[in-house]
Amino acid sequence: MVRVRSPRYGRKLDDFTVGAVYAHPWDVTVDEGMLALFAASFQDAIPTYASRVAARSVGLRDRPVSPLLLLNLGISFSVHDVSEQAIAHLAYTDVRFPAACYPGDTLRASSLVIGKKPVSTGDKGVVHVRTQVVNQDGLLVCSFERKALVPPGRVAERPADAPHAVAQPDAQPARLPEELDGPLPPPARQGGFACAWDDFEVGDVITHEVGRTIGDSEHMQLATLLRNSHPLHVDEQYSRSSSFAKTRVVHGGLVLSWVLALSSRDTAGCGVWDLGLDEGAHPSGVLAGDTLFAASKVIAREEAKSGAGSVTFRIVGVKNTPPRALIEQGADLFTPELGKAEGRVKEKVVEITRTLLLRRRS
Amino acid sequence: MVRVRSPRYGRKLDDFTVGAVYAHPWDVTVDEGMLALFAASFQDAIPTYASRVAARSVGLRDRPVSPLLLLNLGISFSVHDVSEQAIAHLAYTDVRFPAACYPGDTLRASSLVIGKKPVSTGDKGVVHVRTQVVNQDGLLVCSFERKALVPPGRVAERPADAPHAVAQPDAQPARLPEELDGPLPPPARQGGFACAWDDFEVGDVITHEVGRTIGDSEHMQLATLLRNSHPLHVDEQYSRSSSFAKTRVVHGGLVLSWVLALSSRDTAGCGVWDLGLDEGAHPSGVLAGDTLFAASKVIAREEAKSGAGSVTFRIVGVKNTPPRALIEQGADLFTPELGKAEGRVKEKVVEITRTLLLRRRS
Amino acid sequence: MVRVRSPRYGRKLDDFTVGAVYAHPWDVTVDEGMLALFAASFQDAIPTYASRVAARSVGLRDRPVSPLLLLNLGISFSVHDVSEQAIAHLAYTDVRFPAACYPGDTLRASSLVIGKKPVSTGDKGVVHVRTQVVNQDGLLVCSFERKALVPPGRVAERPADAPHAVAQPDAQPARLPEELDGPLPPPARQGGFACAWDDFEVGDVITHEVGRTIGDSEHMQLATLLRNSHPLHVDEQYSRSSSFAKTRVVHGGLVLSWVLALSSRDTAGCGVWDLGLDEGAHPSGVLAGDTLFAASKVIAREEAKSGAGSVTFRIVGVKNTPPRALIEQGADLFTPELGKAEGRVKEKVVEITRTLLLRRRS
């Protein structure tokens, strides 16, 4: 008798146990190639993440791995155990980058189930997890919470997990790597991008003029490289029947990365570090061929220390229409879509709050 | 009088000399960027090839270059001298990875002509070569045989080879790098992928549920990076008139890599090393936009040494229909297509035998 | 009162000051990932740039960054300040690579405004700049001049530059890195590509048979990676209204790189170094899906030193028709298109003069 197996991964609502920690099986050395593929899609202006010289000038020992790459790896590593069956990714909160990760580090991740509940219609549920990414020494380099919408019941052919007893510390992660404590040394070079901490005022709105069209191959390469195993991003046969769009959909973590990159020349060219992302959501999906744009609003500004200050931006991403045009048409870009009574912006694909440590001129 | 030259490479049947060794001109340092581009298409679950920590835990000094990347480089380096005029790639056999290759190594390859003969119709021929890939110290890191279908006659404007006297040793290459001899140390981490050597029984069939759609840019990037110089993969003008598909066709070594990667979470997540590939063939071609799937059958299982055992899988790749559906329709997936009297599986794009060294739980 | 800003970069004719030096804000560490992405599009046969062994055999300390990648970085870094508003890139001249750049180096660039003048119709102008790329020690690794066609007037919402006082030395850059002075040591290996300095005669024409189709994702990835910020290459919404082609257009520096790579097996397989590029122009644009081909003409040949000589090629790139076919149809490929009274080759996409240092057999 031939035994035919068809293993499936991820979890449905009844597969989750509140309080459990799932140790994701991926074990990946981050290398310069991964950094370059990330830089080849996301033209980010933050000098710390692109230049060894700039990174050393702020106190790091080398050019660190982009925090957004860490977030993307964390989300993607967790798909195998958390969201490979998920219908939608609902929210990101409390995204923190407490320590620098460097090329050559080897990363693992785990997810703690914080909560789960069926939605009122009873035909699906929401699971809430905290995912942590650590390097080979167990140092926490990225922590975040996210919520996903999952089907009810159980995954029929899910193999049992390999045994493990991984725990997650409860402490709230720091917002800044230790090496960046203390006064900020002066920049290593003249020039650089123009916008500094001093140039932002609470209430300012910036529409970022240049957009980015998403390539079919590039978004699949990134999903594959990140070890994102959801077929929605890379399997057209699955997507024709099971995707809400009836075709492959771009991984949300990439959409976020494109939008933050598109905003970066105007907001982050004097950036030192990402102090955190919060209140993130994806109101609609993105397909290959769509063109993404970004707009930002300054919602807070604080002096942080000698040489630097923090600015908190609300950043939104829209598809196929520049945000300047949407604002001229009267669109309410910066109110969260979830819970809007009216005036929903159907072009909006991501909205998130980002806090950056920026150099000060004064 | 202007001299116009139009050099062409590869060989037709009469250009091959049995017993000759062709030293392929490519000379390439393998780097982390190459590893990342490979990882960005092929989501492979074998920890040894992805993680420096996992690689060291089995006795290697660093994360090695994926054996499948070595095979792809060997095939591709040989195109310039062997198969740039070829009509089809027919078979792979005796693929071995006798020593680990590391990022930073510089690779060359050579091919020995083992045999050639016209096919019965007389209008083409089959050439049989053994290709060996060595690093900068002459260490053999990959060896394999392949057969290709080539046109009769000679290539008119083929430049003479640069003089060389390269020989290939006759010894049968080892199946395991020296560093991996001896008992397998325990894993460096808890968790990991669930399937271990203990979980497989001879006769088991596994259909791998997630597929991968192939991007147009990504397959051309990989062919170019590998130094595969056959215009069939990257030159649409050539392909419109000269390709069997009337368009560009994906390099077979990449199809193989996609299919083995698609099978890897279910077969190789506790993988330590590739002990060899054999009896490989490509019954049909693959185009950008096709979605690949994999299915595996366990054909042998042996205890190898303390902590590890070998499992031999027959792995098939199909396009655009999941293998579970094909099996339910009664398809005979695991009989080789060549020589099948009836019941040919027209969706099959690759079939091969793979032997893996896997961790044992017991 | 909400302040809405829409910053724009680049310059229009009145924004340029002759004699000014613009320090471009990008600050980027070149890594192995960047080299691999370049190699994944441009299958270049020059051993020095691909192999650490070959690079050391000519006197360099490591595999250097491909000079064409440096040129592309220099052009792209300058877009933010020079050509983000440009209508067309007109010409490259005096491209030199006076020192080797290695992976791990961190690059910056600056552009000196050499001249500017309105065209006769008065509705646009030509700006002439010299761009220099330096590493973290200020060592000049790439220098070139280029001309671009820009709109009249000023960019309304251009942020003021960050203050800087960068100067460019006046000295004419060397054509050869210091390490390559002196007699050329013998090659590190037997075999290699066949064509050596001895094989070329002035007047020879070579049509390179294999073409390369350009992928949509890959050209956007490269433009993004290079930090080219012109929306013409990556923003389909912008391009539909503002591109001469009504869609995205491939960055010219990439077109040049494809064409030189396509010529390389026949002209540069014994290449040691790029002694310079001159008189380069792009008579027409290239879109994703186009297939590029190359043809070369030998216009000079000189003994350079023991073991090596220089050959100067005029190299042209055409799209969608092989150059052999164009020559058979009587096309005049090698006369520059600019100023041709008749016989314009509408398929031509690039033409340039390249001087290479090649190994000699004799």
Side-chain angles (χ1 to χ4, degrees), chain C residues 259-319:
Chain C
V259 167
L260 297 190
L262 289 168
S263 75
S264 70
R265 279 200 292 172
D266 300 326
T267 61
C270 293
V272 175
W273 195 255
D274 266 279
L275 296 172
L277 299 165
D278 275 289
E279 310 296 330
H282 287 289
S284 63
V286 172
L287 309 182
D290 281 342
T291 301
L292 298 180
F293 294 93
S296 304
K297 184 174 187 173
V298 180
I299 60 175
R301 194 182 82 138
E302 285 180 40
E303 295 190 12
K305 59 179 185 180
S306 169
S310 71
V311 177
T312 301
F313 298 95
R314 183 71 181 169
I315 302 182
V316 302
V318 295
K319 62 183 173 190

Side-chain angles (χ1 to χ4, degrees), chain B residues 77-93:
Chain B
F77 281 14
S78 76
V79 170
H80 178 87
D81 299 296
V82 170
S83 58
E84 194 161 324
Q85 304 294 329
I87 302 157
H89 173 66
L90 299 176
Y92 317 87
T93 50

Side-chain angles (χ1 to χ4, degrees), chain A residues 178-234:
Chain A
E178 241 179 54
E179 303 94 307
L180 300 183
D181 281 347
L184 190 68
R189 57 167 292 187
Q190 294 190 310
F193 290 95
C195 54
W197 177 84
D198 317 69
D199 297 318
F200 297 101
E201 286 180 31
V202 172
D204 282 0
V205 169
I206 307 165
T207 63
H208 311 293
E209 292 297 297
V210 176
R212 178 59 153 75
T213 302
I214 297 179
D216 185 56
S217 282
E218 72 176 332
H219 87 85
M220 290 197 293
Q221 285 176 317
L222 288 167
T224 299
L225 181 68
L226 294 167
R227 275 66 171 180
N228 191 311
S229 54
H230 202 304
L232 183 68
H233 310 310
V234 298

Side-chain angles (χ1 to χ4, degrees), chain C residues 213-298:
Chain C
T213 302
I214 297 180
D216 185 55
S217 281
E218 71 176 333
H219 86 85
M220 290 197 293
Q221 284 176 316
L222 288 166
T224 299
L225 181 68
L226 294 166
R227 275 65 171 180
N228 191 311
S229 53
H230 202 304
L232 184 66
H233 310 310
V234 299
D235 176 350
E236 187 64 16
Q237 294 298 323
Y238 165 92
S239 300
R240 279 190 195 160
S241 58
S242 303
S243 157
F244 60 88
K246 302 300 169 203
T247 188
R248 283 164 291 138
V249 174
V250 177
H251 163 47
L254 302 178
V255 172
L256 172 65
S257 302
W258 263 300
V259 167
L260 297 190
L262 289 168
S263 75
S264 70
R265 279 200 292 172
D266 300 326
T267 61
C270 293
V272 175
W273 195 255
D274 266 279
L275 296 172
L277 299 165
D278 275 289
E279 310 296 330
H282 287 289
S284 63
V286 172
L287 309 182
D290 281 342
T291 301
L292 298 180
F293 294 93
S296 304
K297 184 174 187 173
V298 180

Side-chain angles (χ1 to χ4, degrees), chain A residues 2-9 23-34 37 80 84 103-109 136 157 159-166 216-217 220-231 234-238 240 248, chain B residues 32-33 35-45 47 50-54 63 189-195 199-201 203-219 221 265-266 289 291 293 297-298 320-322 324 327 361:
Chain A
V2 174
R3 192 169 63 150
V4 180
R5 281 185 284 154
S6 301
R8 287 165 181 269
Y9 302 97
H24 309 310
W26 300 107
D27 195 358
V28 175
T29 300
V30 179
D31 59 26
E32 294 194 346
M34 203 178 275
L37 272 160
H80 178 87
E84 194 162 325
D105 281 356
T106 299
L107 300 180
R108 289 175 287 135
Q136 65 284 349
E157 297 208 42
D161 285 340
H164 65 266
V166 169
D216 185 56
S217 282
M220 290 197 293
Q221 285 176 317
L222 288 167
T224 299
L225 181 68
L226 294 167
R227 275 66 171 180
N228 191 311
S229 54
H230 202 304
V234 298
D235 176 349
E236 186 65 16
Q237 294 298 323
Y238 165 92
R240 279 191 195 159
R248 283 164 290 137
Chain B
E32 294 194 344
L35 268 60
L37 272 160
F38 210 68
S41 287
F42 314 116
Q43 195 174 81
D44 182 37
S51 158
R52 180 172 292 158
V53 171
R63 178 181 54 150
R189 58 167 291 185
Q190 294 190 311
F193 289 96
C195 55
D199 296 318
F200 297 100
E201 286 180 30
D204 282 0
V205 168
I206 307 164
T207 63
H208 312 293
E209 292 297 296
V210 176
R212 179 58 152 76
T213 302
I214 298 180
D216 185 56
S217 281
E218 72 176 333
H219 87 84
Q221 284 176 317
R265 278 200 292 174
D266 300 326
T291 300
F293 293 93
K297 183 173 186 174
V298 179
N320 302 327
T321 305
R324 193 162 42 88
I327 288 175
R361 273 198 300 270

Side-chain angles (χ1 to χ4, degrees), chain B residues 3 6 9 29 80 234 236, chain C residues 52 204-205 207 213 265-266:
Chain B
R3 191 170 63 153
S6 302
Y9 302 98
T29 299
H80 178 87
V234 298
E236 186 65 16
Chain C
R52 181 171 292 158
D204 282 1
V205 168
T207 63
T213 302
R265 279 200 292 172
D266 300 326

